[in-house]
Amino acid sequence: MPAASNIHSMLARLLPERIAPAPSRPGQRHRLFAGIGLPSQPALAGERFGLIHRLDEAVDMHAVYADLCRQALLGNVAVLNDLGWIWLNGKYWRGDTVLAGHLLRMAALQGNAAAWFNLGQQHYFGKGVDISYANAAEYYRHAFERGLLHAAAALGDLYEEEVCDGDQDWQVDPPQAYQWFLRGAQRGETRCRFEVGYRLLHGLYVEPDTKAALYWLELAAATGVMQAAEELAVHFSRRDAARYLGWRDQAIQLGSTLALTMKLEDQIQP
């Protein structure tokens, strides 16, 4: 029997006929984990037709579930990941971490990058499995290799994790963290660009390089990373008045209270 037929047969047995509503008064653990993981196609700013919008606006969640099941059984691997993601975080119907793990692994083995990332999240947070940063790192790497650039930021964070949850052996490795941030930055991941610029500017685990730092920070700020605009404003505040004002005001537009405080202080200075 072909592998696709095996997966289809297994999936048909795994998917329940009905879903249980999410708790009306979620507990602390549910609130903690409700936002983890990613659907296959996260909604863009202003998007009104993505999965999250569809789930948020659903009048009949069972009808939405039935449609997602139909698409998954027809071979839509992205929807298979989405079903696993929903069961993993339990926001839209009652979570089932064991079922989530099965569905995510099935989607991951068929090449879905978001599913690999979600498996990493499951092992990082210990949702239905033992917490394992080593497993999380492996799954994040698979996600990055398949094009999910955000996984590089997750790996950078992981290698700087100083306090491990659970009883495990994990080696903090800031130079390795920097390399993952750099790989993400080189591929266009916006937060990674900020992390690289910040480290180069302040010489954290790398030789300081102001020119390169400003390059990465300006790329990050230009794509809406507020912290990058703040760093640029602080850097230029005593060096270049015009560039300082430009980045200060951009940081304010991005919601920075630090930059707003800087502007107020500028206004009261003689």
Side-chain angles (χ1 to χ4, degrees):
M1 180 181 291
S5 299
N6 282 330
I7 290 174
H8 182 280
S9 177
M10 184 184 302
L11 182 59
R13 294 194 301 270
L14 281 174
L15 293 173
E17 292 185 8
R18 303 282 292 176
I19 53 174
S24 57
R25 300 186 63 182
Q28 179 179 1
R29 184 173 177 81
H30 177 274
R31 292 193 300 271
L32 179 64
F33 294 139
I36 75 168
L38 292 171
S40 291
Q41 295 182 341
L44 301 174
E47 182 186 11
R48 293 187 54 80
F49 302 105
L51 175 65
I52 294 175
H53 176 78
R54 184 184 182 191
L55 291 166
D56 285 340
E57 300 298 321
V59 176
D60 184 349
M61 191 64 74
H62 289 287
V64 175
Y65 171 66
D67 181 55
L68 293 175
C69 287
R70 179 186 61 80
Q71 293 185 57
L73 290 168
L74 287 173
N76 190 321
V77 180
V79 170
L80 181 57
N81 165 74
D82 292 341
L83 285 167
W85 167 70
I86 295 169
W87 263 301
L88 181 65
N89 60 49
K91 178 179 178 181
Y92 296 102
W93 55 72
R94 188 176 297 275
D96 184 333
T97 55
V98 174
L99 177 56
H102 288 316
L103 299 179
L104 292 172
R105 189 169 295 276
M106 291 168 69
L109 293 175
Q110 296 180 77
N112 186 273
W116 282 114
F117 181 82
N118 289 335
L119 286 170
Q121 294 272 275
Q122 183 175 26
H123 284 259
Y124 176 81
F125 287 104
K127 291 213 66 179
V129 296
D130 291 336
I131 293 174
S132 172
Y133 289 0
N135 285 345
E138 178 183 355
Y139 295 139
Y140 290 150
R141 288 190 195 99
H142 282 298
F144 181 78
E145 290 166 359
R146 286 158 179 78
L148 189 68
L149 302 184
H150 178 64
L155 280 159
D157 291 338
L158 194 59
Y159 280 107
E160 288 188 337
E161 191 84 32
E162 294 184 355
V163 180
C164 293
D165 289 331
D167 183 16
Q168 59 183 303
D169 182 22
W170 179 250
Q171 184 65 48
V172 174
D173 190 342
Q176 178 81 327
Y178 175 79
Q179 289 303 316
W180 277 109
F181 287 132
L182 182 60
R183 290 180 70 180
Q186 291 169 337
R187 295 276 296 276
E189 211 285 326
T190 55
R191 203 197 119 210
C192 284
R193 287 174 168 177
F194 162 71
E195 298 292 350
V196 170
Y198 183 86
R199 283 158 179 74
L200 288 170
L201 188 64
H202 297 284
L204 296 176
Y205 311 114
V206 293
E207 288 295 320
D209 185 334
T210 302
K211 183 177 180 180
L214 297 179
Y215 168 79
W216 290 115
L217 288 172
E218 288 178 354
L219 283 178
T223 52
V225 180
M226 181 186 71
Q227 296 92 331
E230 289 178 337
E231 282 294 320
L232 289 164
V234 171
H235 176 77
F236 287 117
S237 61
R238 297 181 181 276
R239 295 173 174 86
D240 186 322
R243 296 176 78 177
Y244 159 66
L245 292 174
W247 289 118
R248 184 203 68 185
D249 291 347
Q250 179 161 337
I252 291 171
Q253 291 176 4
L254 294 171
S256 169
T257 55
L258 170 63
L260 183 59
T261 300
M262 295 169 73
K263 182 175 182 177
L264 294 174
E265 291 176 349
D266 292 339
Q267 292 172 342
I268 63 176
Q269 288 179 356

